[in-house]
């Protein structure tokens, strides 16, 4: 007689509610949220029995202590590599020392650099020689004082800081977003976020929570607004219709790098050399960002349900004083722009270029003072009409406070100015550019593909060097002259850098604002 096989003993299945409380199975919407089965889930960050992620040591593990996958390990590797990098000031100091040694060695070896496009040959001059030491003593202060980004960035930062301190920028964002229809809101948030770089780095701190409040007031998921706004501020940081201190910083470095070659002397490098690209790309990025917020992020979060005891949505309606200030500010700025155009566009206008040319003209070369005047008038008008300041002393204090945050930037620019000046004076920059261009020609990497390779290189470097000005100060003196030798404009090199610099800003754990956003998400 055939025996029946013994039945396996199966462990009883745990109740569904107990399985939901396992680490990694939690709904991100909080205690009051429901999953697709209609059961309540426990929020990971609010459960006292679950360990918090180790942000200090780079994480790398899921809450239950096991690796969550290859992406998690890759991000942990990037963070450890980024943490191993020194401060940008140290990076520039090391590069300066390396240039000093290399230039001296090339000088002793009798190396010369042929100036492309001319019959000139320039000898490499070493810093650690008598001539080099005399140059350093005579030009150390001058290198810093005449470094193009310094004056332009500080000039614009004063008036942008004034507009932010008196509440103008916050009011403009509230007026822009609060009236947007519910269906259009993700796209409005994304497009405005791509213009937010005019607020400098403060945009990453001010705009995401404001977008979350607008989403919540409209009955949409505030976490989608927070995440989407942070992503669009980061990815669109180098785009936008607005012009700010970032544009001035990049243009100053580009101008200094292009002057390495004789062909750079006749180039008109101004604040708007990338304007058509940045303005159009902000629309493309805004539409794409709005699509991802509404069709990808928000559906994955599900419907939002406020937790017990959660405060009500903040009223984003402008006060009468804010509306009055915004109305008068818009009128003053419109009159100011009309006056600039009237002094530029008509035939024989005083702001026309040489020979009555429309381009180039003092309007483009003097764009920094024009932007300065516009922001100054806007900030003063809003402060006066909205009564956000009590007197002139408070205005001056606001401007001074905004410049206090630039101390670290000035230290970095002091060392960066010495590096770029040494590149130019020693002729190592010409030699490096000529060799780089010859190498790219030898491997037939020219035209479109060399730009693609440069974008990819910038995106990778940006994972570790998150400061755009620091990275462009390192890459600009090398690649701008090299691409000029390949027949490419410095404007194209700068545009390619801006693409790569913005692409990975939101991905890197080195982004200091990423952890601020995580704290906002926990709240």
């Amino acid at each position: 007689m055939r025996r029946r096989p013994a039945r396996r003993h199966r462990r009883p299945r745990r109740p569904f509610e107990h399985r939901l409380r396992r680490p990694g199975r939690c709904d991100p919407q909080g205690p009051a949220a429901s999953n697709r089965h209609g059961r309540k889930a426990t929020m990971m960050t609010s459960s006292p029995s679950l360990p918090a992620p180790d942000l200090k040591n780079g994480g790398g593990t899921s809450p239950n202590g096991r690796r969550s996958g290859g992406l998690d390990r890759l991000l942990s590797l990037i963070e450890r590599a980024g943490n191993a990098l020194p401060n940008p000031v140290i990076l520039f100091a090391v590069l300066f020392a390396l240039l000093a040694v290399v230039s001296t060695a090339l000088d002793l070896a009798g190396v010369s650099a042929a100036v492309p496009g001319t019959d000139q040959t320039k000898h490499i001059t070493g810093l650690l020689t008598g001539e080099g030491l005399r140059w350093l003593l005579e030009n150390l202060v001058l290198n810093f004082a005449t470094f193009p980004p310094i004056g332009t960035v500080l000039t614009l930062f004063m008036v942008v800081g004034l507009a932010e301190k008196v509440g103008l920028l916050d009011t403009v964002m509230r007026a822009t977003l609060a009236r947007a229809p519910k269906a259009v809101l993700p796209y409005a948030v994304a497009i405005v976020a791509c213009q937010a770089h005019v607020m400098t780095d403060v945009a990453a701190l001010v705009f995401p929570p404001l977008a979350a409040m607008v989403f919540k007031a409209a009955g949409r998921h505030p976490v989608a607004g927070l995440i989407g706004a942070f992503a669009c501020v980061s990815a669109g940081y180098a785009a936008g219709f607005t012009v700010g201190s970032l544009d001035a910083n990049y243009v100053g470095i580009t101008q200094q790098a292009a002057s390495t070659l004789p062909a750079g002397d006749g180039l008109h490098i101004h604040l708007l050399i990338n304007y058509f690209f940045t303005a159009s790309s902000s629309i493309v990025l805004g539409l794409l960002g709005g699509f991802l917020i509404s069709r990808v992020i928000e559906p994955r979060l599900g419907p939002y349900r406020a937790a017990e005891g959660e405060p009500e949505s903040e009223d984003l309606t402008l006060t009468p004083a804010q509306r009055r200030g915004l109305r008068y500010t818009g009128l003053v700025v419109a009159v100011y722009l009309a006056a600039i155009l009237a002094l530029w566009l008509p035939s024989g206008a005083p702001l026309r270029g040489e020979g009555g040319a429309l381009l180039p003209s003092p309007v483009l070369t003097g764009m920094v003072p024009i932007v300065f005047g516009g922001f100054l008038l806007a900030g003063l008008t809003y402060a006066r009409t909205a009564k956000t300041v009590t007197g002139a002393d408070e205005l001056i204090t606001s401007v001074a406070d905004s410049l206090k945050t630039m101390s670290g930037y000035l230290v970095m620019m002091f060392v960066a100015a010495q590096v770029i000046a040494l590149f130019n004076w020693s002729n190592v920059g010409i030699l490096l550019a000529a060799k780089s261009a010859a190498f790219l020609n030898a491997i037939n990497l020219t035209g479109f593909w060399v730009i693609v390779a440069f974008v990819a290189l910038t995106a990778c470097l940006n994972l570790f060097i998150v400061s755009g000005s620091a990275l462009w100060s390192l890459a600009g003196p090398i690649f701008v002259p090299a691409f000029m030798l390949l027949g490419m404009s410095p404007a194209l090199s700068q545009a390619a850098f801006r693409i790569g610099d913005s692409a990975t800003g939101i991905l890197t754990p080195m982004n200091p604002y990423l952890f601020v956003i995580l704290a906002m998400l926990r709240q």
Side-chain angles (χ1 to χ4, degrees):
M1 185 175 178
R2 194 172 180 179
R3 299 182 61 182
R4 297 175 61 185
R7 296 182 61 185
R8 295 181 180 179
H9 175 70
R10 294 184 177 179
R11 186 173 60 182
R13 291 176 61 86
R14 291 177 292 179
F16 183 77
E17 291 82 356
H18 183 70
R19 298 200 308 271
L20 279 175
R21 289 190 290 269
R22 290 173 54 195
R25 298 285 292 269
C26 305
D27 196 313
Q29 301 177 54
S34 300
N35 58 24
R36 60 181 179 177
H37 299 287
R39 307 273 185 152
K40 286 188 176 182
T42 305
M43 186 176 179
M44 182 177 69
T45 57
S46 63
S47 174
S49 61
L50 296 178
D54 185 5
L55 298 179
K56 180 179 180 181
N57 296 323
T61 61
S62 58
N64 58 8
R66 292 177 298 181
R67 292 283 180 182
S68 60
L71 179 61
D72 187 81
R73 289 192 291 270
L74 175 61
L75 292 177
S76 299
L77 177 63
I78 292 174
E79 183 176 4
R80 287 194 296 271
N83 289 335
L85 286 176
N87 187 283
V89 175
I90 304 299
L91 283 175
F92 280 115
V94 172
L95 182 57
F96 182 81
L98 181 63
L99 271 175
V101 174
V102 170
S103 62
T104 304
L106 294 176
D107 187 359
L108 296 177
V111 176
S112 298
V115 180
T118 67
D119 296 331
Q120 300 179 7
T121 300
K122 293 191 175 182
H123 180 72
I124 303 298
T125 309
L127 180 65
L128 303 179
T129 61
E131 183 180 357
L133 294 177
R134 285 193 300 271
W135 171 84
L136 185 62
L137 291 176
E138 295 173 355
N139 293 275
L140 181 70
V141 177
L142 192 61
N143 293 339
F144 177 61
T146 58
F147 195 47
I150 300 296
T152 52
V153 171
L154 293 181
T155 300
L156 291 181
F157 207 88
M158 285 192 293
V159 287
V160 172
L162 172 65
E164 193 268 330
K165 293 290 184 181
V166 301
L168 173 60
L169 297 182
D170 181 72
T171 302
V172 169
M173 287 189 177
R174 288 172 180 264
T176 306
L177 298 177
R179 297 182 180 181
K182 183 177 179 179
V184 183
L185 186 58
Y187 298 91
V189 166
I191 291 176
V192 174
C194 290
Q195 322 297 324
H197 80 275
V198 69
M199 298 176 63
T200 64
D201 286 354
V202 74
L205 302 177
V206 173
F207 193 68
L210 180 61
M213 290 189 296
V214 174
F215 263 62
K216 186 177 180 181
R220 306 195 67 148
H221 206 300
V223 172
L226 184 74
I227 295 175
F230 176 68
C232 292
V233 167
S234 300
Y237 196 74
F241 290 96
T242 53
V243 177
S245 57
L246 179 72
D247 303 271
N249 192 7
Y250 284 171
V251 167
I253 297 172
T254 303
Q255 181 181 9
Q256 193 81 353
S259 64
T260 303
L261 301 179
D265 295 337
L267 292 177
H268 296 283
I269 300 176
H270 50 78
L271 197 62
L272 300 181
I273 58 173
N274 288 151
Y275 183 75
F276 293 109
F277 167 72
T278 57
S280 58
S281 62
S282 68
I283 299 298
V284 176
L285 291 174
L287 294 176
L288 178 59
F291 176 83
L292 293 175
I293 294 172
S294 60
R295 301 299 180 87
V296 178
I297 299 177
E298 202 165 13
R300 292 177 65 86
L301 294 172
Y304 178 74
R305 300 181 183 180
E308 184 178 355
E310 183 176 343
E312 295 294 330
S313 301
E314 182 178 340
D315 187 11
L316 298 176
T317 305
L318 299 182
T319 64
Q322 289 174 328
R323 287 196 297 269
R324 182 176 62 254
L326 205 56
R327 184 168 58 250
Y328 281 105
T329 301
L331 180 62
V332 169
V333 172
V335 172
Y336 174 75
L337 293 178
I340 296 296
L341 294 177
L343 294 172
W344 176 39
L345 296 180
S347 178
L351 293 185
R352 284 257 182 164
E354 186 177 353
L358 194 63
L359 296 174
S361 71
V363 172
L364 293 184
T365 56
M367 186 55 62
V368 172
I370 292 176
V371 174
F372 175 86
F375 269 100
L376 181 61
L377 284 176
L380 293 177
T381 303
Y382 182 83
R384 175 72 176 177
T385 55
K387 301 186 185 306
T388 55
V389 294
T390 58
D393 291 340
E394 189 175 351
L395 280 174
I396 296 173
T397 302
S398 300
V399 175
D401 289 341
S402 65
L403 288 179
K404 289 179 181 178
T405 60
M406 300 296 290
S407 57
Y409 168 82
L410 291 176
V411 174
M412 182 182 70
M413 285 295 101
F414 174 78
V415 188
Q418 310 305 326
V419 172
I420 295 179
L422 181 56
F423 256 116
N424 295 334
W425 176 80
S426 65
N427 296 321
V428 171
I430 294 178
L431 178 65
L432 190 58
K435 296 297 183 182
S436 300
F439 173 76
L440 294 174
N441 276 321
I443 62 175
N444 294 321
L445 190 62
T446 58
F448 173 76
W449 292 111
V450 73
I451 294 297
V452 172
F454 180 55
V455 169
L457 174 63
T458 303
C460 293
L461 293 175
N462 191 51
L463 292 171
F464 308 100
I465 305 174
V466 294
S467 171
S469 56
L471 184 55
W472 188 228
S473 296
L474 289 170
I478 299 174
F479 290 99
V480 169
F483 290 164
M484 287 175 63
L485 296 178
L486 297 177
M488 299 180 185
S489 167
L492 177 60
S493 305
Q494 180 178 294
F497 170 80
R498 298 178 84 145
I499 296 173
D501 180 55
S502 296
T504 53
I506 192 175
L507 300 177
T508 171
M510 296 297 294
N511 189 335
Y513 304 110
L514 178 62
F515 301 100
V516 179
I517 296 300
L518 291 176
M520 293 178 182
L521 285 172
R522 289 174 180 266
Q523 293 176 3

